[in-house]
Amino acid sequence: MGTVVEATNQGENGNVTEQKPTVVFVLGGPGSGKGTQCANIVENFGYTHLSAGDLLRAEIKSGSENGTMIQNMIKEGKIVPSEVTIKLLQKAMQESGNDKFLIDGFPRNEENRAAFEEVTKIEPAFVLYFDCPDEEMERRLLNRNQGREDDNIETIRKRFKVFMDSSLPVINYYDAKGKVRKIEAARPINEVFESVKAIFSTKNEKAD
């Protein structure tokens, strides 16, 4: 099976690594505003935004054998294997024609993280972490999703707990490597984007 990094494993000259795509993991609890900011980053910095959840849902909708398998696992309350999600991410990366990606909502846990690096041989350039107090995320979700049954207080709090329990070890792992860029996400959208812009301008290119 060809992978998105196939070309990077060949050749011995110094530019081999330059062919590897730039990957930024985007993490934050439900309601932290990461989706809005990803759209701004795409518009201003030319990244392709890949949401692991959206890719899984699209695969289910496609009616493929893989999609049926994913749907059955979710129905049974099982976790979709990391390799399945990673293959969907790789395919989307290959098909995009781009070399800069925001991967949103993945890795969800340490096992995802280790599998992604193992399979793709790609380490993220950095992790963009939208840090938002639970009360603020709760307020946003309740305001935004009135009438959606999965957004009652109890469910929302469960989602926060799952995010913290599973994603915090990933954030801590990359923080120890100096790769976490933490954004205070409780502020207004424009203020948050100013902080995001500063990170991307210094890290990758000049904003224009």
Side-chain angles (χ1 to χ4, degrees), residues 33-204:
K34 60 191 173 63
T36 302
Q37 296 301 334
C38 280
N40 286 335
I41 297 164
V42 167
E43 201 178 314
N44 287 267
F45 295 98
Y47 277 70
T48 294
H49 176 210
L50 299 176
S51 155
D54 286 353
L55 289 171
L56 288 167
R57 283 187 285 275
E59 190 68 15
I60 290 168
K61 213 180 256 186
S62 76
S64 70
E65 203 176 310
N66 199 27
T68 307
M69 181 268 288
I70 293 166
Q71 188 170 30
N72 290 339
M73 292 197 79
I74 291 170
K75 264 189 199 155
E76 289 164 24
K78 293 178 183 167
I79 291 170
V80 177
S82 297
E83 284 71 17
V84 172
T85 308
I86 292 163
K87 272 186 188 148
L88 291 175
L89 286 166
Q90 282 185 306
K91 185 168 170 248
M93 286 163 85
Q94 282 173 321
E95 288 170 356
S96 75
N98 200 352
D99 63 352
K100 300 190 297 186
F101 301 94
L102 300 172
I103 296 185
D104 174 5
F106 186 93
R108 291 177 78 96
N109 53 41
E110 262 293 284
E111 195 266 331
N112 278 177
R113 178 202 65 72
F116 183 87
E117 291 190 9
E118 174 63 31
V119 172
T120 66
K121 308 289 183 252
I122 297 170
E123 263 202 47
F126 58 95
V127 175
L128 195 60
Y129 171 40
F130 289 94
D131 188 22
C132 195
D134 286 5
E135 314 80 71
E136 175 60 19
M137 292 194 287
E138 197 173 285
R139 189 187 65 74
R140 289 177 183 179
L141 289 173
L142 290 171
N143 285 348
R144 187 175 71 191
N145 295 320
Q146 280 167 339
R148 254 184 62 177
E149 58 193 80
D150 62 337
D151 277 322
N152 59 52
I153 291 276
E154 199 180 315
T155 312
I156 285 170
R157 287 181 181 160
K158 268 190 205 149
R159 285 165 69 198
F160 291 160
K161 186 173 180 345
V162 167
F163 170 74
M164 289 312 287
D165 290 350
S166 58
S167 297
L168 220 53
V170 176
I171 291 160
N172 291 339
Y173 173 86
Y174 285 119
D175 200 25
K177 300 182 114 188
K179 287 191 169 214
V180 172
R181 308 288 177 267
K182 188 158 97 169
I183 301 282
E184 300 301 334
R187 297 167 298 157
I189 290 170
N190 292 348
E191 281 182 37
V192 172
F193 188 54
E194 285 306 311
S195 301
V196 169
K197 225 158 48 174
I199 289 167
F200 278 84
S201 300
T202 54
K203 194 73 198 163
N204 296 310

Side-chain angles (χ1 to χ4, degrees), residues 7-22 121:
T8 67
N9 299 329
Q10 292 149 14
E12 290 154 346
N13 54 25
N15 17 340
V16 173
T17 51
E18 285 169 28
Q19 296 169 22
K20 279 198 182 183
T22 299
K121 308 289 183 252

